[in-house]
Amino acid sequence: MEIRHLHYFMAVCEELHFTKAAEKLGISQPTLSQQIRVLEDELGMPLFDRIGKKIVVTEAGALLFTYATAMLNTLQNVKGAIKDLQEVQGGQIRVGIMPSDLDYRITQLVIDFHQKFPRVKLTILASIDIMRQVLENEVDIGIGTNVEPHDRLVIIPLRKEEYVVTVSKEHPWAHREAVTIAELKDLPLVMYPEGFLGREIVEETVKKHGFQLHTILETSSVTSIMNLVRANIGATVQPYPLIQQMNDSDLRIIRLTDAIPSRSLSIIYRVDRYVSHATTAFIEQIKAYLKE
């Protein structure tokens, strides 16, 4: 069995179409079909059932897919480890992070890291589904929120952050230092849409007190949310360190005195991922930058 056969097989599994898989691989469809037959002959079982123009993965194919994924990941880790030895402080790190934290919190972290490791290419990707990104190898590491234990993940806790009410300096509550959770019941809010983790954390807290958030505007962009709050369209409820980082004189922070919503930040990466010297250094810098 050759590595290229596994790559061919995986491409067909992903596309479930020989012609599309061949185009993706840059080879002809007859060549791809012939190579899959070679693999099937070697294993002594069909890997795909051909039903008209459609194909489905057989039980043997599903089994091979599981092991082939692990083998190709291991091969990639070997290549990464050897490349890391060759380049010492070079290479690339892909990092997944929540959009709000990307916009307002990690700029200085990235600057500091680049100054120490100028040969390392950092790719920072905003996402609201960081666990999936990590598990599917779209990023090398993630900075996740409220991450549940997972047998395929290494989870390094960083800090717990409380949520606060944030208003414009023109808002009727601008003079207040603290409010109770019950006082949010009829407060006009600008928030993320339902389904966004930052919204759900707050929503779950107020539901325990018998009401839902009164949102008058919803947007998936924290920048838009804060611009609307500055314009006194409504208040918002966001992590305290995020608002603190903005250091905006047009905003007022109001603490919650009871039933305080909070989020937990963690570094996550796959247990089977090779962690390069540069990635280890970046993880240590994240821990120093964000740990309580």
Side-chain angles (χ1 to χ4, degrees):
M1 185 183 299
E2 298 181 22
I3 296 298
R4 63 188 175 92
H5 288 149
L6 294 181
H7 284 295
Y8 293 164
F9 167 74
M10 297 294 281
V12 178
C13 287
E14 290 170 3
E15 300 295 335
L16 290 178
H17 195 285
F18 275 86
T19 301
K20 291 181 180 178
E23 291 174 354
K24 181 178 180 179
L25 292 165
I27 61 176
S28 69
Q29 186 271 326
T31 298
L32 177 59
S33 296
Q34 191 270 334
Q35 293 299 313
I36 294 297
R37 282 195 295 271
V38 169
L39 187 55
E40 289 177 327
D41 290 343
E42 182 177 350
L43 295 172
M45 294 190 74
L47 300 172
F48 302 99
D49 282 331
R50 294 145 179 93
I51 306 173
K53 293 184 178 180
K54 296 182 179 180
I55 61 171
V56 295
V57 180
T58 65
E59 186 176 355
L63 189 62
L64 178 60
F65 181 85
T66 299
Y67 284 99
T69 300
M71 285 188 284
L72 293 175
N73 282 340
T74 299
L75 178 62
Q76 187 60 43
N77 286 338
V78 170
K79 290 180 178 178
I82 292 173
K83 186 175 182 180
D84 192 38
L85 287 175
Q86 292 171 334
E87 297 184 0
V88 185
Q89 293 183 340
Q92 176 176 342
I93 307 172
R94 300 167 302 165
V95 183
I97 190 169
M98 295 288 286
S100 57
D101 296 311
L102 175 59
D103 288 347
Y104 288 101
R105 297 188 68 183
I106 70 162
T107 301
Q108 191 60 50
L109 169 65
V110 172
I111 292 171
D112 292 344
F113 184 81
H114 176 71
Q115 289 175 343
K116 291 181 181 178
F117 299 92
R119 293 174 57 196
V120 176
K121 178 182 177 181
L122 268 181
T123 302
I124 313 293
L125 301 173
S127 174
I128 60 171
D129 196 2
I130 292 168
M131 180 181 285
R132 181 197 60 78
Q133 278 191 320
V134 172
L135 289 172
E136 296 183 7
N137 279 318
E138 292 179 9
V139 296
D140 302 309
I141 62 174
I143 303 175
T145 302
N146 294 2
V147 180
E148 296 292 334
H150 196 291
D151 59 3
R152 294 171 60 197
L153 290 177
V154 174
I155 302 173
I156 304 172
L158 291 172
R159 64 188 296 167
K160 186 175 182 179
E161 300 181 341
E162 70 176 68
Y163 279 65
V164 293
V165 180
T166 306
V167 300
S168 161
K169 65 180 180 180
E170 307 298 331
H171 193 277
W173 283 12
H175 67 286
R176 301 191 62 177
E177 294 185 359
V179 296
T180 65
I181 199 77
E183 290 181 89
L184 300 185
K185 183 174 181 180
D186 298 313
L187 180 67
L189 292 169
V190 182
M191 297 290 290
Y192 296 115
E194 290 185 3
F196 278 63
L197 183 59
R199 166 72 175 271
E200 294 304 310
I201 288 172
V202 183
E203 199 76 69
E204 287 174 10
T205 301
V206 301
K207 281 180 181 177
K208 293 176 182 177
H209 286 72
F211 66 96
Q212 291 181 302
L213 297 177
H214 174 44
T215 58
I216 56 173
L217 275 170
E218 297 178 354
T219 171
S220 61
S221 165
V222 68
T223 302
S224 296
I225 288 174
M226 300 318 301
N227 285 337
L228 291 166
V229 171
R230 288 187 191 94
N232 203 23
I233 301 299
T236 192
V237 185
Q238 301 292 336
Y240 175 66
L242 178 68
I243 305 302
Q244 189 180 39
Q245 190 78 25
M246 295 178 188
N247 193 28
D248 191 327
S249 60
D250 291 329
L251 299 175
R252 298 290 184 268
I253 295 174
I254 305 170
R255 309 298 279 265
L256 288 161
T257 60
D258 61 337
I260 303 170
S262 65
R263 68 174 188 172
S264 298
L265 296 182
S266 302
I267 299 168
I268 58 175
Y269 58 88
R270 285 175 55 127
V271 296
D272 60 354
R273 171 164 289 281
Y274 170 74
V275 182
S276 68
H277 296 307
T279 302
T280 299
F282 189 69
I283 288 173
E284 291 304 313
Q285 191 153 333
I286 293 171
K287 288 163 65 175
Y289 191 76
L290 292 179
K291 202 161 183 132
E292 288 181 314

